[in-house]
Amino acid sequence: MNKYLFALGAIAFAAWTFIGGGLGISAAQEKAVKLPPPAIDTPAAAQAGTATAVFAGGCFWGVQAVFQHTQGVLNAVSGYSGGEASTATYRQIGTGRTGHAESVQITYDPKQISYGKLLQIYFSVAHDPTTLNRQGPDSGPQYRSAVFYQGAEQKKVTEAYIAQLDAAKTFPRKIVTQVTPLTAFYPAEAYHQDYATLNPNQPYIARFDLPKIENLKAALPEVWREKPVLVAQAGK
């Protein structure tokens, strides 16, 4: 579904949401899943400088916003992964035939937050990893759940965590997240960056993405940051 068409059709619903108590109602409908931390993780001392992770989990607006509110994250950029450079545009990926998924590239300080902790946030509050090619009202392979790993260590930690969560039956259904090597990440168009922060009253954001941010604060307060790190301000 095109998010902009959804937004137009959701105005009445959004008005009801705000009249009925605003974010509280939406958050109640979008509960986070309490997850244990990964049993296997990369020690902070093992990495120097900055590191990156690339996750796909439905519309990149909400995934980006969650990680922008995460301590230790230095930047989170919405974009596309899984396809070719020539098709890395919003118009083309919307066809579902490019191989791309809406993704977020997270640059983080491994001394402050581990790759495993990012995975815990990703599986707990950023999206539902048990729905195949769908998140909320958005359907198609461009909205699939996928971890685009970089190197053997990220692959090992990701696969071990998925096995750990499936074995513990933390979700009612099996995790369908793809674990695939990153070949390239292409930043999305400028108007997609920082979208949830810049458009908090947009009906789609209010219904599907603001609850994720509130769930991060409630479920993982140890990593919560009140002021998001924005693409427009990163590096300044």
Side-chain angles (χ1 to χ4, degrees), residues 20-208:
L23 181 58
I25 290 178
S26 294
Q29 296 172 342
E30 299 288 338
K31 292 292 187 183
V33 179
K34 291 281 190 180
L35 300 180
I40 297 174
D41 200 354
T42 302
Q47 297 189 57
T50 63
T52 59
V54 177
F55 300 148
C59 173
F60 44 28
W61 293 342
V63 178
Q64 180 190 44
V66 165
F67 287 104
Q68 288 180 320
H69 281 277
T70 299
Q71 291 284 356
V73 170
L74 307 175
N75 199 7
V77 179
S78 290
Y80 313 111
S81 291
E84 301 297 325
S86 61
T87 59
T89 69
Y90 188 65
R91 179 183 61 81
Q92 291 179 91
I93 72 103
T95 65
R97 299 191 297 269
T98 66
H100 282 295
E102 290 196 11
S103 307
V104 175
Q105 182 186 67
I106 302 149
T107 302
Y108 64 100
D109 181 351
K111 294 289 194 297
Q112 297 184 52
I113 190 166
S114 70
Y115 178 72
K117 193 69 174 180
L118 294 176
L119 285 176
Q120 185 181 6
I121 296 165
Y122 168 70
F123 285 113
S124 176
V125 303
H127 83 307
D128 180 352
T130 69
T131 54
L132 184 64
N133 295 336
R134 173 180 290 278
Q135 291 292 316
D138 302 316
S139 62
Q142 68 270 34
Y143 298 112
R144 66 188 181 273
S145 174
V147 172
F148 295 93
Y149 65 83
Q150 300 163 76
E153 187 69 15
Q154 285 192 357
K155 181 176 187 287
K156 179 183 75 173
V157 174
T158 303
E159 290 179 339
Y161 194 40
I162 291 174
Q164 175 187 340
L165 296 178
D166 275 339
K169 300 188 185 309
T170 51
F171 294 98
R173 298 178 298 274
K174 189 177 178 62
I175 292 172
V176 297
T177 304
Q178 292 181 354
V179 182
T180 186
L182 179 70
T183 55
F185 173 83
Y186 305 98
E189 296 82 352
Y191 65 87
H192 285 300
Q193 308 302 339
D194 308 328
Y195 193 88
T197 297
L198 298 177
N199 301 275
N201 295 325
Q202 200 256 41
Y204 184 99
I205 298 297
R207 172 64 182 87
F208 296 103

Side-chain angles (χ1 to χ4, degrees), residues 6-28:
F6 174 86
L8 293 174
I11 290 175
F13 175 84
W16 174 84
T17 298
F18 290 124
I19 293 171
L23 181 58
I25 290 178
S26 294

